[in-house]
Structure formats: structure tokens, C-alpha cells
Amino acid sequence: MTDKAPATRRTATGLVAGFVLRLTRESIPRTQTGLAEALGVDIGTVQGRESGRRPLAHMKAGAFLDLRRRLLALGADSTLLRLMDAAMDADRIIGATLVPTDTPQNHPLADWVHTRDTAHMIAWAVNGTPPPILASRPTTARRGPVAPAPLLRAPDRSLFFAQLRDSAEAAANAGAGGLLLHRQALYLSSYDKTPEATSWTAYAVHARRDLLAARGWTPHWAAGRSTATALARLGDRQPLLDFIDRAMVDDDTAETANLNYWAYWFGAMRQPQADDGFMRHCGPAEWEPVALMRSLVEGLHRAPGYVDLYAHSLWALLTAHRWLPLASPDLADRLGERTAQLLDGGLISTRSRQELTAVHYVLRENRR
């Protein structure tokens, strides 16, 4: 086992970022030879970076910055260029999980709050699901067999999830110092769809039900929110409904924490965060309300399992910023259409129905 670990790390270290680089090159479009000529490097360098054998993360900061700027000047897709950071972050998390150190507190999930883009990149690597932002992109015609996703080898995927579950269990027993690692490792563990893994995740989150019983803001609020959403992902919506009622409604600190978390998760808050404390202490001036509204509207369309959390968050956002529909009329129209559909259906809770009715009123009020 010890002999195989270094090889596993080499193959996984730059896989996701390399794949994003390949898509970036194809968006120009250039062949590997053509890109090598444009960048003034040999073709082996381009091939090594795209395969992950020469990870982008190993480049010097100035060289990497220059690479991104030159790719943009060549006509590369700016969305793909923006995703490179998240792809490298995903590679770092995957590599550190496959070959853990003796100091769990140094795991990247223990000292950095990851974002939705990073989570999507990891999901891409472990189950082949492309990030929603890339899912509708046209497929580039290629010669020969080419991987459609930066998918880890089956043995690496099994090892990744096994190590992730071990990390989550160890962190759960580490007290306050393990909260962030446990929360994030548990969330990522839910990407494993095998029956055994689903049973483990269900057991792990049910064991944390004590976090759902607390009212309002507590130091464990973020862990409680993740536990409730994990249970919703497994098909049990009630804990999330209870969490909204007990730990969010009528508590200004908790409502602020929820919007702050969404803002960070979606990228509307740009500052990186080392722990969950920002959820309580950051203010609305540190993120862009229109950007958050756009992401929540998209989620209301795409994430039926979390419709109650999205509905409550939109209600809280529009209650605090009633001018938002005027700032983006097209977005307000989309929200109005989806709100009407949900109110006409029977898939939302009584609270969500009340809150979406209030959202509908704010939208109508701003159309006058």
C-alpha cells in the first residue's frame, strides 16, 4: 500500500485543472501543437499540463498568471479561465484526501471554506457530472478516444471516499477544531452514490441530529445547516424544514448567516474565508445582492430538493432589499414565473407558500 500511494497522488494531483485547460484550449480553438507554438513552449509541456502529469498548481505564480492572460488574448472562454482556480482547489482536496498526512488539521477541508465551484469540480472528478455552468456547452469534435470528464480511476474514487469518510469521523471527535473538516467532508461524502456509502452518510448525518434541535444562532449553526441539507439530499426534507423554523426564523443573526453563506458559496462574496465565523460577522456590504439573487433564482429552478431553503432565502433577501426587482427586471420576471408555478403546485411547505406569496407581492409592487 505504501508503494502505491505516491503513484496515486501523481495521477490525481492535476487531473481536474488539466482537463479545464484542455477545454480552454479547445475554446480558442487550437490544437496542442498550435497552443504550444503560440505560448512558445514544447508540445510535451502542453500535454503534461492537460493530462495532469505537470500540474498547473506547480507553476510559479507569475507564470500561471501570464498563462491565463495569454490564453484570454488568444480568445479563450473567460468562464473556463475563471474555473481554473476552483479546479486547482479541487485537485488539492483530492490529492490531500488520497494521501492524507498525520496532521488532519492541515487538510485543505480543515482550513478553507470551499465554494460551489470547487464542490462542482470535485463532483466532476468523482462521478463525471459536469458543473451546471458547463453542462449546456456544445461538445467539441475530437479524434480518437478522449475522456469526456476528468474522472478519477475507479480505485482512486473508492479510496477517495473511504479516506473522506475516515476524515469526517475523526473530525467529529475532534471538538471545535474539527467542525469545518467534518462539515465539508460529510458534504462531499454524499457524492458517493453506492448503497454502502448512502447508508453511511445517512447514519452520519442522523448522528448529528442534535445540531438541528438548537434554536437561533449557535457556534454549531453552520454544521446544523449542512446536516439538514445533507438529509434533504437523501430524500428526508423534514429536518431542513425544522431547521428553517427553529434556527433561522425570527433570529436576525441566523438570517444574516444564511445569506452570507449563500453569498460565499455562489461567489457573490469574493474574500476567501478560513472558517465559518464569517457567516455571523460579515455584512451585506461585502457581497453583491443582485448576484446573490441571480444564483438563488437559478437554484429555485434547478434544485427541487432544497426548494424550501431557496424560497426562505429569497424571501429574506427581498425583505432586506426590496429594490432588487428594479435592479434586474429580467431576473425578477424569471423569479415571478417560477414563484407562480410553485404557488400553483403542491410541492412546497406552508411556510414556503407564505414566503413566496410575499415574494410575489414584492415583485408585483416593483412592476408598478
Side-chain angles (χ1 to χ4, degrees), residues 226-248:
S226 289
T227 300
T229 54
L231 286 168
R233 188 181 303 111
L234 295 173
D236 186 358
R237 289 175 55 198
Q238 192 59 46
L240 183 55
L241 293 173
D242 292 341
F243 183 79
I244 294 171
D245 284 338
R246 294 173 184 167
M248 293 176 64

Side-chain angles (χ1 to χ4, degrees), residues 26-333:
E26 292 174 346
S27 74
I28 296 175
R30 291 285 179 104
T31 63
Q32 289 181 330
T33 300
L35 181 61
E37 292 175 351
L39 297 177
V41 299
D42 60 83
I43 190 173
T45 297
V46 174
Q47 291 173 337
R49 289 172 178 168
E50 290 189 4
S51 68
R53 294 192 307 270
R54 300 179 66 170
L56 292 179
H58 290 181
M59 294 180 66
K60 293 182 178 180
F64 178 67
L65 181 62
D66 182 62
L67 172 64
R68 288 210 293 196
R69 288 176 175 173
R70 295 186 68 182
L71 288 170
L72 183 63
L74 290 171
D77 188 317
S78 59
T79 298
L80 291 167
L81 290 173
R82 180 180 64 80
L83 289 175
M84 281 187 177
D85 286 339
M88 289 192 293
D89 200 21
D91 282 329
R92 179 170 172 252
I93 292 170
I94 291 170
T97 303
L98 289 173
V99 188
T101 66
D102 295 331
T103 52
Q105 64 269 26
N106 291 335
H107 193 288
L109 291 176
D111 61 10
W112 190 275
V113 183
H114 72 254
T115 65
R116 179 183 61 168
D117 284 343
T118 297
H120 283 169
M121 290 290 159
I122 293 173
W124 206 9
V126 297
N127 59 33
T129 303
I133 196 172
L134 300 181
S136 60
R137 296 172 63 85
T139 303
T140 302
R142 304 181 181 98
R143 295 182 180 179
V146 180
L151 194 63
L152 292 173
R153 297 180 297 118
D156 287 348
R157 292 199 300 273
S158 296
L159 178 60
F160 173 77
F161 284 122
Q163 301 279 39
L164 202 60
R165 290 191 288 268
D166 287 346
S167 295
E169 289 178 345
N173 299 318
L179 281 177
L180 184 60
L181 175 57
H182 175 77
R183 180 175 74 77
Q184 299 195 126
L186 183 62
Y187 179 88
L188 294 176
S189 293
S190 67
Y191 289 145
D192 189 348
K193 301 303 182 182
T194 62
E196 178 183 359
T198 300
S199 297
W200 178 90
T201 303
Y203 172 79
V205 296
H206 277 281
R208 306 292 291 183
R209 276 182 176 270
D210 59 305
L211 300 175
L212 304 178
R215 292 192 176 276
W217 171 264
T218 74
H220 301 281
W221 185 90
R225 185 183 187 279
S226 289
T227 300
T229 54
L231 286 168
R233 188 181 303 111
L234 295 173
D236 186 358
R237 289 175 55 198
Q238 192 59 46
L240 183 55
L241 293 173
D242 292 341
F243 183 79
I244 294 171
D245 284 338
R246 294 173 184 167
M248 293 176 64
V249 173
D250 296 328
D251 188 293
D252 291 343
T253 300
E255 294 285 17
T256 297
N258 181 55
L259 293 180
N260 282 339
Y261 179 75
W262 276 132
Y264 184 82
W265 178 250
F266 289 132
M269 180 187 294
R270 298 296 184 182
Q271 302 89 336
Q273 302 295 335
D275 57 51
D276 289 335
F278 78 95
M279 298 183 197
R280 179 181 183 181
H281 300 298
C282 287
E286 297 183 57
W287 43 265
E288 173 51 54
V290 174
L292 178 54
M293 179 181 171
R294 181 176 297 107
S295 296
L296 288 172
V297 171
E298 291 173 357
L300 193 63
H301 281 72
R302 296 174 178 172
Y306 306 109
V307 64
D308 299 294
L309 181 58
Y310 277 99
H312 179 76
S313 301
L314 279 163
W315 168 82
L317 180 65
L318 287 173
T319 297
H321 304 282
R322 298 180 74 88
W323 52 268
L324 275 173
L326 295 174
S328 182
D330 291 343
L331 185 59
D333 288 342

